[in-house]
Amino acid sequence: MAQQQIGLIGLAVMGENLVLNLERNGFPVAVFNRTTEKVDEFIQGRAVGKDIVGTHSLEELVASLERPRKILIMVKAGKPVQAVIDQLKPLLAPGDIIIDGGNSWYEDTEARTQELEAMGLRYVGMGVSGGEEGALNGPSLMPGGTREAYQELEPLVTKIAAQVDDGPCVTYIGAGGSGHYVKMVHNGIEYGDMQLIAEAYDLLNSILGLTAEEFHQVFSEWNQTEELNSFLIEITTQIFTVKDPITGKPLVDMIMDKAGQKGTGRWTVTSALDLGVPIPTITAAVNARVISSMKEERVAASQQLTGPNITNMPEKQAFINQVRDALYCSKICSYAQGMALLAAASKEFNYNMNLSELARIWKGGCIIRAGFLNKIKQAFVDNPSLPNLLLAPEFKQSILDRQSAWREVVATAAYTGITVPAFSASLDYFDSYRRATLPQNLTQAQRDFFGAHTYERIDQPGSFHTEWVEIKENERVG
């Protein structure tokens, strides 16, 4: 009996769609789900007439696969992934490959890679981005692990990934947990992108009072520009066309302003702090989701805490254009922070990432796909050791040309009491990065005063400590 080329565990939406993608591209699949009724439902539904085999146990799944066995796990990160791996280990043979396609913490992936490789098994932590539609029609894939394991999977992943003008949206990321690390940072950039779009919406809504129809028109026009053309802007244009069937109002107006999160944005911030890399736009986006969840407390506070009385309103089209420019400048900063974090992690963990390739594989399939990723790719092709995207000639000039509008928007937001944490954090990042001198000389003096932490001088090398109180006392005596 012919055996299937790959097995998949976990038939939630992403898992089902990946199975259909694999089968459509010529790879017979065997599937398993902890709830076996889900297997039967899928086989009798979406999988009818396709080269997909349902199994009711892991033993049956493993037995149905050709060697070396390839098994893709699409279950919740953490303990569920570990439980599946522990059950698979005694059933597999040396050379078999386990692929974790979920959003696992990269350190967990590092540990699993070491354990399984020592047993003769091969392990790949693979970031998968694109949501339901991407999984079905072509996601962006970020596989990390041994190069040998990737080479075994390469014919498969290059077929099922999104296809763009310069190839499939997949590349070998690096060793160990690199694939999941890149997916984590991808999601952090995604947090920043979404928050920036939300702030643009809030400014135009609160200050200009645009209608849903006007929002649709504005975002549609922005999506036609080289700077802002992206998946997230595209879906935003569509959101404003949907009416609530109950009230007849725009559905977006009926949605509670409480944003959820699954943790990858928070992980990105944690890792950045550990590596000493500033990512203020992404951090602001995470914080914005946290404070949005405090709905009841915010409603109560709004009864006591008032904002400014708004008197002078900006001219409509001029302000729309300024917000567009501010959005693009802030977006550049968000991606610059993400790429800087990836560069630092690559060096720290010996991942040897190719940043231009990472930008390339995000051009299709994934949530942050955007037209300007071509420019990011080219920036790192031109200068692989580029320390920050803000220094790439095109991005540098883009911000210099637009910074007046950017500053005007942030100032208008402050004047009118509209919260723009990600816009502000992006501008602060730009201004901090471009300044040769910052006020942390005073911070170091304070640290040395209360904790003898020492400081460096601007006129000579070495570390110095001052007995600040003693000097002050001597001055009094004198």
Side-chain angles (χ1 to χ4, degrees):
M1 178 176 123
Q3 293 186 300
Q4 307 302 94
Q5 291 185 28
I6 184 169
L8 183 139
I9 299 171
L11 288 174
V13 172
M14 287 289 287
E16 278 196 11
N17 284 344
L18 279 171
V19 169
L20 296 173
N21 184 347
L22 284 159
E23 195 275 342
R24 187 181 67 250
N25 280 286
F27 302 100
V29 191
V31 300
F32 171 77
N33 195 78
R34 186 172 58 87
T35 306
T36 55
E37 291 84 356
K38 180 68 174 173
V39 175
D40 295 337
E41 178 185 322
F42 178 61
I43 293 298
Q44 295 164 15
R46 300 180 75 191
V48 167
K50 304 183 187 303
D51 198 349
I52 300 171
V53 171
T55 65
H56 288 175
S57 69
L58 289 178
E59 291 82 359
E60 187 182 355
L61 177 79
V62 170
S64 70
L65 300 176
E66 66 180 26
R67 297 195 180 194
R69 303 177 184 95
K70 305 174 188 69
I71 300 177
L72 174 58
I73 301 173
M74 294 298 297
V75 302
K76 188 177 179 180
K79 291 181 180 178
V81 170
Q82 191 60 52
V84 171
I85 292 171
D86 290 341
Q87 293 172 62
L88 281 174
K89 284 188 295 190
L91 305 177
L92 300 179
D96 290 346
I97 304 174
I98 298 175
I99 310 139
D100 176 10
N103 284 330
S104 288
W105 174 238
Y106 75 98
E107 290 184 354
D108 289 344
T109 305
E110 295 276 1
R112 290 165 184 156
T113 301
Q114 293 178 22
E115 177 197 6
L116 294 170
E117 293 284 340
M119 296 172 55
L121 299 175
R122 292 178 285 181
Y123 190 69
V124 172
M126 184 170 72
V128 179
S129 178
E132 180 178 350
E133 186 270 338
L136 181 63
N137 297 314
S140 176
L141 301 174
M142 295 151 259
T146 64
R147 187 173 288 276
E148 177 195 20
Y150 173 74
Q151 289 171 342
E152 184 76 37
L153 296 173
E154 190 170 19
L156 183 151
V157 293
T158 53
K159 286 289 291 293
I160 69 169
Q163 308 294 316
V164 293
D165 58 349
D166 48 8
C169 292
V170 60
T171 192
Y172 174 64
I173 302 296
S178 60
H180 279 141
Y181 194 94
V182 170
K183 178 55 164 55
M184 176 189 76
V185 175
H186 164 284
N187 286 18
I189 295 171
E190 178 185 311
Y191 272 55
D193 230 348
M194 294 174 71
Q195 177 63 24
L196 290 168
I197 294 170
E199 290 177 16
Y201 157 71
D202 193 17
L203 285 164
L204 300 180
N205 186 43
S206 300
I207 294 177
L208 298 183
L210 297 190
T211 65
E213 292 77 10
E214 288 174 314
F215 272 118
H216 171 70
Q217 182 63 32
V218 166
F219 280 98
S220 295
E221 290 173 358
W222 288 0
N223 198 46
Q224 300 305 310
T225 66
E226 185 181 14
E227 294 82 7
L228 293 179
N229 171 257
S230 67
F231 171 73
L232 285 171
I233 294 289
E234 178 187 337
I235 66 170
T236 302
T237 67
Q238 297 175 28
I239 284 170
F240 287 111
T241 66
V242 178
K243 300 285 187 183
D244 174 29
I246 299 174
T247 64
K249 297 179 180 179
L251 180 56
V252 67
D253 292 345
M254 304 307 298
I255 297 175
M256 182 74 73
D257 56 325
K258 295 170 64 173
Q261 55 181 313
K262 292 187 176 180
T264 45
R266 186 173 67 250
W267 291 353
T268 307
V269 173
T270 299
S271 180
L273 289 171
D274 289 342
L275 293 174
V277 178
I279 56 167
T281 307
I282 297 169
T283 302
V286 173
N287 287 337
R289 293 197 189 191
V290 174
I291 201 167
S292 79
S293 69
M294 302 162 55
K295 177 67 174 179
E296 294 76 15
E297 191 171 341
R298 287 189 292 113
V299 169
S302 71
Q303 306 303 311
Q304 303 181 55
L305 304 175
T306 58
N309 293 318
I310 304 171
T311 53
N312 299 322
M313 290 293 98
E315 192 277 323
K316 184 175 181 179
Q317 190 56 51
F319 189 62
I320 290 172
N321 293 341
Q322 288 178 332
V323 171
R324 177 200 61 209
D325 288 346
L327 177 57
Y328 183 51
C329 291
S330 300
K331 184 184 179 81
I332 292 171
C333 288
S334 183
Y335 281 73
Q337 293 161 32
M339 300 307 281
L341 177 56
L342 288 171
S346 183
K347 182 177 180 181
E348 177 71 18
F349 306 132
N350 297 312
Y351 287 154
N352 296 312
M353 294 177 187
N354 183 329
L355 297 186
S356 66
E357 268 291 275
L358 297 186
R360 186 192 67 78
I361 68 170
W362 288 344
K363 286 168 56 177
C366 70
I367 303 303
I368 66 170
R369 61 184 184 266
F372 90 139
L373 280 161
N374 265 320
K375 296 180 180 179
I376 296 178
K377 170 197 163 185
Q378 193 59 47
F380 287 108
V381 167
D382 294 341
N383 184 1
S385 59
L386 182 69
N388 194 292
L389 271 180
L390 296 179
L391 299 178
E394 170 137 3
F395 291 117
K396 176 179 70 176
Q397 196 58 49
S398 291
I399 285 184
L400 294 179
D401 290 344
R402 294 168 174 81
Q403 67 169 312
S404 294
W406 192 11
R407 295 181 190 284
E408 186 68 28
V409 166
V410 173
T412 300
Y415 172 74
T416 55
I418 306 302
T419 48
V420 288
F423 273 29
S424 298
S426 297
L427 182 56
D428 288 343
Y429 179 75
F430 171 73
D431 281 335
S432 295
Y433 192 70
R434 70 171 182 80
R435 292 185 65 195
T437 304
L438 293 171
Q440 273 61 50
N441 55 323
L442 178 58
T443 303
Q444 280 302 99
Q446 293 170 329
R447 294 180 73 243
D448 191 57
F449 189 111
F450 66 69
H453 292 295
T454 75
Y455 55 86
E456 296 175 80
R457 294 180 59 92
I458 63 174
D459 57 353
Q460 55 186 293
S463 295
F464 298 85
H465 168 61
T466 295
E467 294 294 340
W468 300 86
V469 175
E470 181 179 314
I471 289 176
K472 187 64 178 176
E473 291 298 328
N474 288 341
E475 286 179 355
R476 286 177 183 159
V477 171

